[in-house]
Amino acid sequence: MRARSARIVLVLAMSAPALPAPASAAETASQAAVYREFSVSAASESSGLQAALREAAAFRRERASVPIRIRVAPGDYYLDAPLRIGPELSGTPAAPTEIVAADADRPPQIFAGRRLDVRWKPYRNGIWQATVTGPAFDQIYLDGKAQIRARYPNFDPNATVLGGYAADALSPARVAHWKNPSGAVVQALHENRWGGMQVPILGKNREGSLVFGKAVGNNRPSPPHATYRYVENVFEELDAPGEWFYDAPRSMLYFLPPAGVDLNRSRIEVSGPARIFDLQGAPNAPLHHLRIAGLVLQHAGASFLRNTEPLLRSDWMIAREGAVFLERTEDVRIEDDEIRDSGGNAVFVSGYNRRVAIAGNHLHDLGGGGIDFVGSADAVRSPSFRYEESVAFDQLDLAPGPKSDNYPADSAAEDNLIQRIGRIEKQVAGVDVDMARNIRIAHNSIYDVPRAGINIGDGTWGGHVVEYNDVFDTVLETGDHGAFNSWGRDRFWHPERKTMDALDAAHPDLWKLDVLAPITLRHNRFRCDHGWDIDLDDGSSNYRIYDNVLLNGGLKFREGFDREAWNNVLVNNSFHPHVWFAGSRDRFERNIVMAAYQPILLDHRDATIDRNLFPTPRALAAAQALGFDAHSAQGDPQFLDAARGDYRVRATSPALKLGFENFPMGEFGVRRPALKRIARQPAFPGLLPLDGAAETDKTYPFLGAMVKSVTTMGEQSAAGLERVAGVLVLAVPADSAAAQAGLLPRDVIVAASDVERRSEGPVDGVADLLGLTSARAWTGELEVVVVRDQRRRKIVLPLGTR
């Protein structure tokens, strides 16, 4: 381990015996805790953090009852290997072990990798080269800023998806120019945009075609998306400023620096292992009572090519890696740290862990995810590992709950700021929970993520509480997902609907075997512009959802049991009941919705859905036609200040008569002042008009065009409409998404197809159109019927364009 201008001090806090109350200041000083201080020089390879850990462990063996604090002085620390901490440094409640910053205002910078000390020489075409020996690396940082591994197409900071993509990334013409692409990687989305995937390139065949390895990173096998893809780590694609390529067999690094950069005078660092702190107990001796606080951890390496472990039947495949990795620990706190500029996950809590707290951290600019709580499949009874797999009922282990304790429990991710994650991997989340129990996710601010902000991958074993989180700018690069997403493909769930219905009829309580306690979502603010705000997907069961503000995408319940949602505000969207089971025991009551329900394959309607407030009589009538909402009402909810995010209602709101109750609007997200100062808040949407027929001549932006409701007989006559209804298209700028979809001025949108395009429903005004575009954002498109030149035609409009 190397350090520059830094020293580490080992402070041993020694508890004094209990004494009578002091009579003077002198006596008080003498009775205070006594500290033995060990100064450890960081100037040589044999000193520094590793040496401090060894010193502390040796002391712990002698004095188990004495608190230990390792205070890390300001400076830069480059590690030769992860900092491995085991049971030898375990503390006790009264005598914990701490690794903390010596100066909170100048936190130490701990790097997984190293700083290069090389001589750069010109190569060609503005490219420079240098011999770099030592461990291989997958990230380079120029004066602290991450650079781009040579790729096609070139990185575009303005492209939301993948930083740029191209359908011809693997075209034969392009591949023909690659001499030796062994080690290259295809980065792509799933063909249905269900996350991302990586496909290693192993080389070329004799005829020049590529040889691929097995795709990793996604548990729903598919070819790479035909359009959303790029290829990286190809020498011949080194052609843009900021790109680099490392020829590991020749130990040669090539770099095309940005304009004006002198590499021989620049600070250039490379990544190291995926772990910086490796915290592991022994099978019968957990590491316990350890606290790591106030440090800046960075430049951990990527782990995406090791994402080969399926997380049961969820869509995820993972590698058990993180800049901070925990396994077999108890009472460990990771708090007030900053984990940044790394290629993989920030924190991974793997297997047996109890009472772990990840709190007050700033996690950002990561190739992987934020915080993962992931148990072991050996704790799951009758596990399956792919969507299409299942265990026959006569072979199921029917004992409830886990069969071992090899999973995280009674732990928390609280008060963390998590942003700009998934810069490489796309099947990630700000906080992810799989095969765990009683995890609290509270007061986190999570945004700028490619997929879900919070993901619960299965029902094993419930008891989680998700509260006071602020989650937005989610599902930015993928689709068919939510700001909060869950699956519940547990023992009871079967991918074939007929088999599932038969199992449910014969064994109606089978779903209770794994999700032992309710999962609670309360007091959160969620926003997803490319899916649902809350997406309870396949099998998600035993949920309690109340007092949440859903800013755009609405709430989805798909094929599960015993979900209850009450007292939520669904801004500009509605309830999405999808593919329900018989006897679901679902409830949706006393909510404010601002669009009509969006049912899909609603074969069973035995849930309790009532006393909700709708925006229009037609939306209410549509719900009642389904057999729901006999006691519901319609009207203006009368929000106090929707423009500023206050969705409490006035005393005269009709929602109150239905049983809706106001709840606080100022407690979402992080609480620590240092994080609160820098955390963003979501954009609060303008409210959709409540009744398109009453809008007169007001105009609205739509896909870059301007539109208004048809409100006069003159507009009806001019367009040749059957009635005074529809949406009249006004100005359509040439560069707008509306123009690219084929809309023209004077078009009138009069109807929209359902999700499966089997039938059409009327679009009577702007309220209908904007409501549909919000409700259908998860599909990525909306097929509409347009009257043009008094003839009807269909146009597919893009939704959630990126």
Side-chain angles (χ1 to χ4, degrees), residues 300-322:
S303 54
F304 60 83
L305 286 179
R306 299 195 295 279
N307 284 346
T308 59
E309 179 186 346
L311 291 181
L312 298 182
R313 287 191 284 181
S314 83
D315 289 2
W316 285 42
M317 299 183 82
I318 54 98
R320 293 179 183 265
E321 297 288 357

Side-chain angles (χ1 to χ4, degrees), residues 115-123 126-132 137 140-142 238 243-246 251-257 261-270:
R115 181 171 178 176
L116 298 184
D117 184 11
V118 297
R119 187 67 183 172
W120 291 93
K121 298 178 181 179
Y123 176 61
I127 299 172
W128 292 67
Q129 63 180 358
T131 299
V132 178
F137 47 88
I140 281 184
Y141 304 87
L142 172 63
L238 178 53
E243 287 191 341
W244 61 274
F245 176 83
Y246 182 55
S251 300
M252 187 63 67
L253 175 60
Y254 300 89
F255 192 13
L256 180 53
V261 170
D262 183 346
L263 292 180
N264 287 311
R265 295 186 178 184
S266 300
R267 172 172 170 160
I268 299 178
E269 295 153 327
V270 298

Side-chain angles (χ1 to χ4, degrees), residues 154-212:
N154 291 331
F155 178 76
D156 179 358
N158 298 313
T160 300
V161 179
L162 299 174
Y165 50 85
D168 68 342
L170 299 175
S171 68
R174 180 161 295 279
V175 171
H177 295 290
W178 301 344
K179 182 179 179 181
N180 179 17
S182 174
V185 179
V186 180
Q187 300 276 0
L189 298 188
H190 185 281
E191 66 176 348
N192 294 325
R193 303 186 70 167
W194 295 338
M197 63 174 60
Q198 293 78 33
V199 184
I201 295 176
L202 307 181
K204 278 185 171 183
N205 288 313
R206 290 183 179 180
E207 66 273 18
S209 62
L210 293 174
V211 179
F212 297 102

Side-chain angles (χ1 to χ4, degrees), residues 317-494:
M317 299 183 82
I318 54 98
R320 293 179 183 265
E321 297 288 357
V324 179
F325 179 83
L326 302 92
E327 193 166 78
R328 295 187 294 275
T329 75
E330 297 176 351
D331 301 291
V332 171
R333 296 187 64 84
I334 309 299
E335 63 181 333
D336 300 325
D337 297 304
E338 181 179 4
I339 304 178
R340 55 175 296 173
D341 293 316
S342 290
N345 306 308
V347 181
F348 203 103
V349 184
S350 173
Y352 176 86
N353 290 274
R354 297 294 184 271
R355 299 176 301 282
V356 169
I358 315 298
N361 303 286
H362 187 191
L363 314 177
H364 63 99
D365 295 287
L366 303 170
I371 302 168
D372 298 271
F373 295 93
V374 182
S376 174
D378 64 24
V380 180
R381 299 181 188 274
S382 302
S384 296
F385 297 96
R386 286 269 289 272
Y387 175 93
E388 64 275 14
E389 293 180 357
S390 62
V391 178
F393 178 79
D394 60 2
Q395 298 176 18
L396 280 179
D397 179 343
L398 296 178
K403 64 178 182 181
S404 77
D405 62 2
N406 198 9
Y407 58 89
D410 306 318
S411 297
E414 183 172 0
D415 204 14
N416 300 285
L417 173 54
I418 305 172
Q419 61 182 131
R420 297 193 301 274
I421 63 171
R423 314 314 277 177
I424 303 173
E425 304 174 44
K426 306 306 172 186
Q427 199 73 287
V428 297
V431 181
D432 173 60
V433 178
D434 300 87
M435 297 172 284
R437 190 171 186 175
N438 299 342
I439 305 298
R440 183 170 184 254
I441 305 170
H443 281 291
N444 301 287
S445 292
I446 304 173
Y447 51 87
D448 290 346
V449 299
R451 204 132 173 80
I454 299 173
N455 182 72
I456 295 180
D458 51 66
T460 55
W461 287 275
H464 313 309
V465 176
V466 180
E467 59 184 354
Y468 297 105
N469 299 284
D470 202 8
V471 184
F472 56 96
D473 288 351
T474 59
V475 197
L476 293 179
E477 301 183 57
T478 57
D480 195 4
H481 214 52
F484 173 91
N485 179 79
S486 66
W487 293 290
R489 300 166 186 154
D490 303 331
R491 271 179 283 180
F492 80 92
W493 187 84
H494 197 282

